[in-house]
Amino acid sequence: MSTVENQVPVFEGIPSSDDLARIADLLVQAGLETIDLSDGKGARCFMRVDAPASAPYVPTSAAPSAPVETAQTDIAVKAPYFGVLSLTELAEIGTLVRQGDVVAQMRIGTLQVPVTVPVEGTVVDVVGQDGVVTGYGAVVVRIEPTV
């Protein structure tokens, strides 16, 4: 599994047009609109793309999945940060979870941010894809609360 820092090109001075295109693609994949890169020696690259932050990234190699029927009372557990999504063993349909359980980690570099469940219930849908760059606020799993 690759990490974001392995995908962002290293540059000294002005990035090439190919590097800029690759950075723009990464922004869109992550659901971000801007990035500010610096090499610490004075070289800086600021980029803005015209892509809605809420647009979900769908890998081109992934086949479209059938819609999953979920009750209207389910709760969407969303990514609290952007980064590479790493699902835990709790992120499986039918798993009983408690409030505060970690269903995934968002990783960017060495930073890891847990994705926790806000209520006790059952996982009814796993929306997020393991190992995929995921944007802030993207739905990771859906929980049917215990009544």
Side-chain angles (χ1 to χ4, degrees), residues 12-111:
E12 292 184 23
I14 300 173
S16 71
S17 59
D18 289 340
D19 286 343
L20 290 172
R22 204 162 62 204
I23 293 168
D25 286 343
L26 288 171
L27 284 173
V28 172
Q29 290 173 12
L32 300 173
E33 292 181 355
T34 63
I35 190 169
D36 192 351
L37 301 172
S38 171
D39 69 355
K41 300 176 187 172
R44 183 173 176 216
C45 175
F46 177 80
M47 181 182 294
R48 178 182 306 272
V49 294
D50 290 329
S54 61
Y57 167 64
V58 178
T60 55
S61 61
S65 59
V68 176
E69 293 292 324
T70 57
Q72 291 185 7
T73 59
D74 66 359
I75 294 175
V77 178
K78 298 180 179 182
Y81 202 72
F82 70 94
V84 177
L85 183 67
S86 179
L87 298 172
T88 69
E89 67 277 356
L90 295 178
E92 292 185 19
I93 295 175
T95 302
L96 298 173
V97 291
R98 292 182 174 188
Q99 182 178 2
D101 281 353
V102 177
V103 293
Q105 294 278 343
M106 300 302 300
R107 292 189 341 246
I108 186 159
T110 58
L111 176 65

